[in-house]
Amino acid sequence: MIYGCLKNTFLFLAVGIISCGTGTADKTEFPSKNKLETEKSVDEIIVGANRTEAYLPLLKGKNVGVVANQTSVIFKDSQNGKDEKYMHLVDSLLSLNVNVTKVFSPEHGFRGTAAAGEIVKDGIDSKTGLPIVSLYGANKKPSAEQLKNLDILIFDIQDVGVRFYTYISTLHYVMEACAKQNIPMLILDRPNPNGNFIDGPILEMKHQSFVGMHPVPVVHGMTIGEYAKMINGENWLKNGLKADLTVIKMQNYNRSMKYHLPIKPSPNLPNDRAINLYPSLCFFEGTNVSAGRGTDFQFQLFGSPFLNPAIFKFTCIPKPNAGSKSPKHEGKICYGENLTNFPKLSKINLDWLIAAYENTENQSEFFTGFFTKLAGTTKLREKIEAGWTAQEIRESWQEGLEKYNEMRKKYLLYP
């Protein structure tokens, strides 16, 4: 089959422009190359999964497991005369006679349709007949029995570069399990759409959870391959374990490139704007304010019945949908702000969080216990409650970010 040998990905620069308050479909603009300044064209990026010539020899004659979801695809050459833009990695490996024996799925499941936090059950993939082991159900770490008879495990999932996005927590547990069972891992690297900056408070390990496992900032600025190297290098695996890692690097990638994800990485990150706003708006998940779940513009707006309608003029009514079966404030009028046309961020925006806190009906009920897990520290909540400005809070992060950035340099694979 020709799919495994393709070396070009047809990924495009896109800017999503969403009409306010109407549910109008995204419009997409494709800038000409003279607008890219010194950046390389994104269609030159060759993701790790497309570099089959680099990893097929490592799979020959072996029993292979794959950690994957709907983003685990190989991009096709548009000159082949077919309409399909991509092929799932598992389908490609099977077509190339690789002995894939088992698939492991993260939060949202193998096909990426489960809502956030929804328990995902083990099952059988209807297309391939392969057994699927959920890593967001009965257990988050593969057991020795589930890894039995595997010779190598491939990890290929599109991340968004944010600490509380749980795919890097799944990565940690998979690395730990494979290290314990002496099973080598192959990481197929993909771009980080938020890879051009680092920002946010550093997680304090006493607040470690599945939405924050490592002492890194909210926006960590690394690809999934780089992050795996850091987990190994900083000895973050239990009992001094080290995973046997091979990272298949991308070609022609640098972290200053604008990158459009052709497949949404999870149900509530439907487009580039949501992915860019996610590091800022996800803090609302630890408050009584909705971040847009249950609307058509998840992580592109915020609102609550308890916010002052004289200050927050935008309204929405969350309703159950594919991304959230029971959204916060379901069926209630929420007052907030529509951010669907907000300019692209290159740092975390705290202004929205602070304004919502200052203009809520009852400040003592604004934060929930989940907020500290997301922030990775109690300090952010304490500073907001004490009246610190966004700039003052940001300045308090700088020493930690400088130390993190020095550590991070050791593991970078791309400029």
Side-chain angles (χ1 to χ4, degrees):
M1 298 290 286
I2 63 171
Y3 307 129
C5 299
L6 299 176
K7 294 187 178 181
N8 291 315
T9 65
F10 291 83
L11 311 178
F12 301 96
L13 293 172
V15 179
I17 303 177
I18 306 168
S19 299
C20 296
T22 64
T24 304
D26 291 7
K27 298 177 183 178
T28 304
E29 295 180 352
F30 299 97
S32 60
K33 287 190 177 182
N34 61 5
K35 292 184 180 180
L36 299 179
E37 299 175 351
T38 60
E39 297 175 359
K40 291 183 178 180
S41 174
V42 173
D43 63 1
E44 296 179 11
I45 295 176
I46 303 173
V47 299
N50 266 72
R51 299 188 59 213
T52 51
E53 76 287 349
Y55 62 84
L56 281 181
L58 305 176
L59 308 178
K60 186 176 181 181
K62 294 180 179 178
N63 295 327
V64 178
V66 181
V67 184
N69 66 4
Q70 77 285 354
T71 67
S72 311
V73 298
I74 289 178
F75 297 97
K76 293 186 177 183
D77 190 329
S78 63
Q79 303 303 314
N80 64 7
K82 297 182 179 179
D83 294 333
E84 298 90 346
K85 295 180 180 179
Y86 37 76
M87 181 183 198
H88 198 280
L89 173 69
V90 171
D91 298 333
S92 173
L93 293 173
L94 292 173
S95 75
L96 294 165
N97 298 315
V98 173
N99 188 31
V100 179
T101 63
K102 191 174 291 185
V103 174
F104 297 83
S105 66
E107 183 177 7
H108 307 297
F110 179 50
R111 298 297 177 186
T113 56
E118 181 180 346
I119 296 299
V120 179
K121 297 180 180 179
D122 295 349
I124 300 293
D125 181 43
S126 60
K127 183 174 182 179
T128 63
L130 289 171
I132 299 175
V133 176
S134 171
L135 298 179
Y136 201 77
N139 56 293
K140 292 183 171 66
K141 181 193 295 188
S143 67
E145 182 64 26
Q146 290 167 340
L147 293 172
K148 189 176 180 180
N149 298 323
L150 289 182
D151 299 313
I152 191 169
L153 190 66
I154 300 173
F155 191 102
D156 181 30
I157 294 177
Q158 176 65 60
D159 188 44
V160 299
V162 182
R163 187 184 67 217
F164 32 65
Y165 204 57
T166 62
Y167 297 155
I168 55 175
S169 299
T170 296
L171 173 67
H172 174 108
Y173 282 134
V174 170
M175 288 175 61
E176 202 165 79
C178 285
K180 190 171 183 179
Q181 302 302 319
N182 296 311
I183 297 172
M185 282 185 65
L186 185 65
I187 311 286
L188 305 183
D189 215 3
R190 292 182 182 270
N192 176 356
N194 288 313
N196 62 317
F197 70 104
I198 61 173
D199 202 11
I202 305 294
L203 178 133
E204 299 165 2
M205 292 304 287
K206 62 184 176 181
H207 300 299
Q208 184 183 43
S209 72
F210 197 63
V211 292
M213 296 195 67
H214 309 116
V216 302
V218 170
V219 184
H220 55 70
M222 305 184 84
T223 68
I224 202 84
E226 293 170 332
Y227 202 93
K229 285 168 57 68
M230 185 166 65
I231 290 174
N232 243 7
E234 295 302 313
N235 300 307
W236 289 340
L237 299 181
K238 187 183 294 184
N239 299 324
L241 289 169
K242 293 273 190 181
D244 180 358
L245 284 181
T246 299
V247 177
I248 303 300
K249 292 176 57 178
M250 293 174 282
Q251 292 180 337
N252 307 325
Y253 171 74
N254 70 71
R255 66 192 77 248
S256 67
M257 300 172 80
K258 299 174 183 177
Y259 185 71
H260 163 66
L261 297 191
I263 301 170
K264 60 183 179 182
S266 55
N268 287 297
L269 290 183
N271 53 40
D272 296 343
R273 193 174 303 280
I275 291 167
N276 178 246
L277 291 170
Y278 177 69
S280 301
L281 297 189
C282 194
F283 286 120
F284 283 120
E285 300 280 272
T287 73
N288 63 9
V289 177
S290 167
R293 295 186 193 270
T295 75
D296 292 333
F297 304 107
Q298 305 97 321
F299 291 101
Q300 299 157 83
L301 57 84
F302 66 89
S304 166
F306 311 116
L307 295 183
N308 187 345
I311 302 295
F312 298 100
K313 306 292 188 180
F314 173 77
T315 62
C316 64
I317 302 176
K319 298 177 181 179
N321 61 14
S324 181
K325 295 181 178 179
S326 300
K328 189 184 297 183
H329 305 313
E330 178 181 344
K332 297 179 180 179
I333 298 176
C334 295
Y335 305 94
E337 190 166 347
N338 181 352
L339 303 171
T340 54
N341 287 315
F342 199 83
K344 184 175 180 179
L345 296 174
S346 58
K347 64 181 181 180
I348 290 174
N349 185 312
L350 289 176
D351 294 329
W352 302 315
L353 181 64
I354 293 172
Y357 173 76
E358 290 178 345
N359 293 281
T360 195
E361 190 174 292
N362 189 340
Q363 291 182 342
S364 66
E365 297 180 357
F366 182 81
F367 291 104
T368 70
F370 190 48
F371 186 84
T372 294
K373 289 185 177 181
L374 291 170
T377 175
T378 61
K379 295 182 178 67
L380 179 55
R381 173 177 175 172
E382 291 165 356
K383 287 178 170 61
I384 292 173
E385 290 177 332
W388 286 42
T389 66
Q391 181 60 32
E392 289 170 336
I393 294 172
R394 294 184 58 79
E395 288 173 359
S396 73
W397 297 342
Q398 293 313 302
E399 183 179 352
L401 289 174
E402 290 170 6
K403 290 179 180 178
Y404 166 76
N405 200 33
E406 283 302 309
M407 176 188 74
R408 168 180 168 269
K409 288 178 182 178
K410 297 181 287 184
Y411 307 108
L412 298 183
L413 299 171
Y414 313 96

